[in-house]
């Protein structure tokens, strides 16, 4: 949802930086890798140390690499599938690091097991959301629907974590994580339902084509 409405804004915002990187012979793949490493450092180093605000600020410096590498690839007219594969794979590492970092802190120094459990649930459900779309597309279906896509999960997680790092009560983060879990479950159901309908339509279309071929065979 956020991808749909924010894409144009962030493309315009980061296009000058993407053009500058291209002029200095930086590849989109390098931006993808560096961005992922930065997010992982924020999630697995800052968060477990309880530095929720500064960890979030550090992550924000790198999290937009997804937008920048895409702009660079389009400007260079890269048509291969490697970049998309690399980007999607490293996104899973980044997402895992963020939710794992939150859970580690709240299971230890943060002393709030409920948030730790909620973060783990969000991590698992988020992976399922992404997997369902990837599997659907590998089978020729379109599952790009749902309430809680990656952009929504990151925005709400980082906002809530940063605010808690500034002193907002922990319950705010718990509420956000529970809401993300529910939204992820809804998204999973939406994507599975969408693929089910497309599959049924494809089967029905195949049956109609077979019946038509049989009727034409009878006429000859």
């Amino acid at each position: 949802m956020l991808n749909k409405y924010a894409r144009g804004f962030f493309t315009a915002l980061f296009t000058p930086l993407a053009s500058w990187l291209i002029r200095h012979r930086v590849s989109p793949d390098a931006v993808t890798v560096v961005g992922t490493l930065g997010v992982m450092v924020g999630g697995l180093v800052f968060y477990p140390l309880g530095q929720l605000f500064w960890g979030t600020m550090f992550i924000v410096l790198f999290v937009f690499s997804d937008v920048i590498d895409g702009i660079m690839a389009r400007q260079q007219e890269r048509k291969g599938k490697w970049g998309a594969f690399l980007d999607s794979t490293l996104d899973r590492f980044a997402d895992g690091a963020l939710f794992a970092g939150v859970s580690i802190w709240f299971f230890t120094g943060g002393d709030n097991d409920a948030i730790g459990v909620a973060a783990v649930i969000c991590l698992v459900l988020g992976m399922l959301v992404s997997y369902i779309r990837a599997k659907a597309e590998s089978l020729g279906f379109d599952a790009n629907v749902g309430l809680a896509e990656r952009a929504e999960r990151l925005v709400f997680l980082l906002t809530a974590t940063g605010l808690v790092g500034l002193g907002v009560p922990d319950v705010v983060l718990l509420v956000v994580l529970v809401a993300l879990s529910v939204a992820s479950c809804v998204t999973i159901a939406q994507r599975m339902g969408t693929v089910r309908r497309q599959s049924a339509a494809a089967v029905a279309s195949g049956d109609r084509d077979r019946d038509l071929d049989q009727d034409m065979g009878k006429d000859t």
Side-chain angles (χ1 to χ4, degrees), residues 38-90:
V39 171
M40 291 181 69
V41 167
L44 295 178
V45 176
F46 283 87
Y47 281 178
L49 293 174
Q51 297 295 326
L52 301 183
F53 175 75
W54 291 113
T56 298
M57 293 299 98
F58 186 84
I59 290 164
V60 168
L61 294 176
F62 293 93
V63 78
F64 291 107
S65 62
D66 260 355
V67 178
I68 297 169
D69 60 13
I71 297 171
M72 293 171 67
R74 288 191 293 274
Q75 288 187 353
Q76 294 180 321
E77 297 184 346
R78 292 196 172 196
K79 300 185 187 214
K81 295 182 178 180
W82 164 252
F85 171 79
L86 178 67
D87 189 59
S88 179
T89 301
L90 294 186

Side-chain angles (χ1 to χ4, degrees), residues 172-215:
V172 172
L173 179 56
L174 178 60
V175 169
V176 168
L177 290 173
V178 170
L180 286 179
S181 297
V182 172
S184 294
C185 288
V186 172
T187 300
I188 289 170
Q190 288 176 309
R191 291 188 171 184
M192 292 185 70
T194 297
V195 172
R196 179 69 183 89
R197 288 191 294 273
Q198 292 176 36
S199 177
V203 170
S205 177
D207 289 342
R208 286 195 298 270
D209 291 343
R210 185 171 60 253
D211 292 342
L212 180 60
D213 290 342
Q214 290 174 349
D215 290 342

Side-chain angles (χ1 to χ4, degrees), residues 76-157:
Q76 294 180 321
E77 297 184 346
R78 292 196 172 196
K79 300 185 187 214
K81 295 182 178 180
W82 164 252
F85 171 79
L86 178 67
D87 189 59
S88 179
T89 301
L90 294 186
D91 280 350
R92 307 290 79 76
F93 281 95
D95 294 355
L98 292 178
F99 285 101
V102 170
S103 67
I104 290 170
W105 168 246
F106 283 100
F107 276 135
T108 57
D111 195 25
N112 192 322
D113 290 349
I115 293 180
V117 171
V120 171
I121 293 172
C122 282
L123 171 59
V124 174
L125 292 175
M127 294 295 177
L128 281 172
V129 167
S130 299
Y131 171 79
I132 290 170
R133 177 178 174 181
K135 185 62 178 179
E137 291 177 349
S138 74
L139 296 173
F141 300 117
D142 180 12
N144 188 19
V145 297
L147 288 176
E149 296 184 341
R150 183 171 187 259
E152 284 83 0
R153 296 196 302 272
L154 291 183
V155 167
F156 285 105
L157 173 67

